[in-house]
C-alpha cells in the first residue's frame, strides 16, 4: 500500500473487520480518535511511534478499563500497519482493570407484584406516553428475559403476534436469534401495538417516547424504573434493583420451575443460554449458581446431575448492568 496514510490504514482495518462479520464499532471510534490525536500532535505518516501511542493511551483522566480497551484496539491497528511495512510500536496491553462485581439483584415474587402494580397504576398524561408503553416494555423484559437494549431496538417487523415470536437483531454478542414468547405476552403485545401504532410503518420502533421512528433512551428507562421502585416501596441501592434485574429474574424463575418439575437441568441449561443470547454456557451457569444460593431446594436437585457447573464464580462481564 504505497503512500498509505494512517487514516487509510484505519479505514482498511475497519472495512476488513466489518466484512468478516465482527462488531467493530467501539474499536473504530477509538482508532479514529487515535488518528485525530496523531494529526493534532503532528506525528507523520509512515510509522506509529511509541510517543504517539503512549501520548494517546495514558492520559491521567482515563479509567483503567478505558485504557485497556484502547490498548487492545491499537494493537490490532499496529499489527495491520506492520503488515504493510510500517514500523509500529506495540502497546503492552497490560493495564490491569479493577472491577468490583456486585451480585445481581433478583426481585422476590412479592416485589415483582408490587413493582408491576406501581407501573400499571400510573396516571395517563398528555405530556408522555409512558402509561401506555411502560407496562408492556417492562413485561417484555420480565417475560422474555431481554436486555434493555434488545427490547428498545425492536421494530414492528420483529414482533410476530401470529407466531408468538420476537426477532432479536444486533444483540450484545453480535448474533441474531428468534425466541418464542408466552401466549399471554403475545396477546399483551398485540393489544399494545394496535393502540400505539395506529398507522404502522416498517421502521417504527415498538417502544418509543415521542415518535415511533425514535426509540426510548436507555437512561430514560432507568430513571422511570427508579420511580416505580419508589412507588412500590422497594429500596434502591448500589448493585440493584435495576431494569436488568428483570432479565436476571427471568432466568432464575425458569430454573426454579424446571427444578420443581424435575427437569434435567443439564439438558435445559443450553436451551436457556440460547434463548437469552449468551455467547456460551458460562453466563447461564452463573444463573444456576445464583438460583441455587437463593433456593436451597434447587441446589439439592442440581447437584445430583449438574454439580460440576455450580462453581463459585463472578458475574460474567456481559451480564453487568
Amino acid at each position: 500500500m504505497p503512500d498509505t496514510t494512517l487514516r487509510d490504514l484505519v479505514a482498511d482495518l475497519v472495512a476488513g473487520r466489518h466484512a468478516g462479520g465482527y462488531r467493530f464499532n467501539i474499536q473504530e471510534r477509538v482508532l479514529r480518535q487515535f488518528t485525530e490525536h496523531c494529526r493534532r500532535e503532528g506525528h507523520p505518516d509512515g510509522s506509529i511511534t511509541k510517543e504517539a501511542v503512549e501520548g494517546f493511551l495514558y492520559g491521567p483522566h482515563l479509567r483503567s478499563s478505558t485504557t485497556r480497551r484502547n490498548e487492545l484496539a491499537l494493537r490490532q491497528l499496529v499489527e495491520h500497519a506492520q503488515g504493510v511495512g510500517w514500523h509500529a510500536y506495540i502497546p503492552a496491553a497490560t493495564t490491569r482493570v479493577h472491577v468490583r462485581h456486585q451480585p445481581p439483584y433478583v426481585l422476590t415474587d412479592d416485589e415483582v407484584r408490587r413493582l408491576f402494580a406501581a407501573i400499571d397504576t400510573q396516571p395517563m398524561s398528555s405530556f408522555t406516553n409512558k402509561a401506555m408503553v411502560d407496562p408492556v416494555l417492562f413485561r417484555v423484559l420480565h417475560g422474555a428475559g431481554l436486555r434493555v437494549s434488545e427490547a428498545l431496538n425492536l421494530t414492528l417487523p420483529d414482533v410476530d403476534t401470529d407466531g408468538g415470536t420476537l426477532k432479536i437483531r444486533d444483540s450484545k454478542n453480535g448474533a441474531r436469534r428468534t425466541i418464542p414468547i408466552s401466549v399471554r405476552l403475545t396477546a399483551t403485545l398485540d393489544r399494545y401495538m394496535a393502540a400505539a401504532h395506529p398507522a404502522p410503518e416498517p421502521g417504527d420502533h415498538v417502544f418509543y417516547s415521542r415518535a415511533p421512528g425514535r426509540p426510548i433512551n436507555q437512561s430514560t428507562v432507568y430513571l422511570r424504573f427508579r420511580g416505580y421502585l419508589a412507588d412500590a416501596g422497594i429500596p434502591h441501592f448500589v448493585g440493584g434493583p435495576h431494569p436488568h434485574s428483570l432479565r436476571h429474574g427471568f432466568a432464575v424463575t425458569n430454573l426454579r420451575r424446571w427444578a420443581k418439575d424435575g427437569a434435567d437441568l443439564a439438558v435445559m441449561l443450553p436451551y436457556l443460554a440460547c434463548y437469552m443470547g449468551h455467547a456460551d454456557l458460562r453466563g447461564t451457569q452463573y444463573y444456576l449458581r445464583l438460583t441455587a444460593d437463593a433456593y436451597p431446594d434447587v441446589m439439592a436437585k442440581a447437584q445430583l446431575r449438574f454439580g460440576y457447573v455450580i462453581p463459585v464464580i463472578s458475574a460474567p462481564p456481559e451480564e453487568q448492568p
Side-chain angles (χ1 to χ4, degrees):
M1 300 176 66
D3 301 323
T4 302
T5 66
L6 182 59
R7 189 179 300 275
D8 293 333
L9 285 180
V10 169
D12 188 56
L13 176 61
V14 169
R17 292 292 188 267
H18 285 319
Y22 293 97
R23 297 183 67 186
F24 205 66
N25 297 335
I26 294 176
Q27 295 90 332
E28 178 180 359
R29 185 174 71 248
V30 170
L31 296 181
R32 296 196 186 284
Q33 290 171 349
F34 176 66
T35 301
E36 176 59 23
H37 165 80
C38 290
R39 184 200 64 77
R40 188 172 59 249
E41 297 299 320
H43 297 294
D45 287 320
S47 66
I48 298 176
T49 66
K50 180 178 180 180
E51 179 186 9
V53 169
E54 293 189 345
F56 174 74
L57 286 177
Y58 303 122
H61 61 289
L62 297 177
R63 299 190 317 182
S64 61
S65 58
T66 302
T67 300
R68 174 67 173 175
R69 179 200 67 190
N70 294 353
E71 285 174 342
L72 295 174
L74 279 189
R75 285 179 69 88
Q76 296 185 65
L77 177 63
V78 165
E79 291 171 0
H80 185 60
Q82 291 176 338
V84 300
W86 282 31
H87 171 74
Y89 170 75
I90 302 178
T94 56
T95 299
R96 298 186 63 181
V97 180
H98 301 284
V99 180
R100 297 179 61 188
H101 290 306
Q102 291 283 346
Y105 189 92
V106 178
L107 295 160
T108 66
D109 294 341
D110 178 64
E111 287 175 333
V112 169
R113 285 190 290 269
R114 288 156 52 197
L115 175 66
F116 277 101
I119 295 172
D120 292 343
T121 56
Q122 61 184 300
M124 298 294 291
S125 169
S126 58
F127 300 103
T128 175
N129 67 349
K130 68 176 185 177
M132 175 177 64
V133 170
D134 288 3
V136 184
L137 170 60
F138 287 109
R139 277 177 170 80
V140 167
L141 300 179
H142 182 257
L146 300 191
R147 301 176 178 94
V148 174
S149 61
E150 293 173 344
L152 297 183
N153 285 335
L154 289 172
T155 58
L156 297 186
D158 297 329
V159 181
D160 180 0
T161 54
D162 292 328
T165 63
L166 299 178
K167 184 182 297 181
I168 312 301
R169 299 170 291 104
D170 197 27
S171 67
K172 189 163 186 174
N173 295 314
R176 299 184 178 191
R177 67 189 192 277
T178 299
I179 60 172
I181 56 177
S182 70
V183 172
R184 186 174 182 178
L185 184 56
T186 299
T188 297
L189 275 166
D190 194 32
R191 291 191 299 270
Y192 162 78
M193 290 197 299
H197 296 274
E201 295 290 340
D204 287 352
H205 287 269
V206 174
F207 303 111
Y208 63 93
S209 181
R210 296 185 179 274
R214 299 174 59 185
I216 303 171
N217 186 279
Q218 287 197 51
S219 61
T220 299
V221 174
Y222 176 78
L223 290 174
R224 290 182 182 178
F225 188 81
R226 286 282 301 270
Y228 299 138
L229 290 176
D231 292 342
I234 301 172
H236 180 270
F237 49 89
V238 175
H242 42 73
H244 209 64
S245 299
L246 297 175
R247 174 172 162 86
H248 297 323
F250 171 84
V252 170
T253 296
N254 278 282
L255 288 167
R256 287 169 58 194
R257 176 169 56 85
W258 291 333
K260 180 181 178 181
D261 293 344
D264 189 338
L265 296 184
V267 173
M268 302 305 295
L269 206 62
Y271 286 101
L272 184 61
C274 182
Y275 189 100
M276 298 188 71
H278 289 149
D280 51 48
L281 280 178
R282 287 176 297 174
T284 324
Q285 288 169 357
Y286 177 76
Y287 284 127
L288 185 57
R289 169 77 263 174
L290 183 67
T291 308
D293 283 347
Y295 302 94
D297 58 315
V298 174
M299 170 67 88
K301 295 176 181 178
Q303 288 283 42
L304 294 174
R305 177 67 175 89
F306 216 30
Y308 65 94
V309 299
I310 316 184
V312 178
I313 57 178
S314 297
E318 73 161 287
E319 292 308 321
Q320 293 298 313

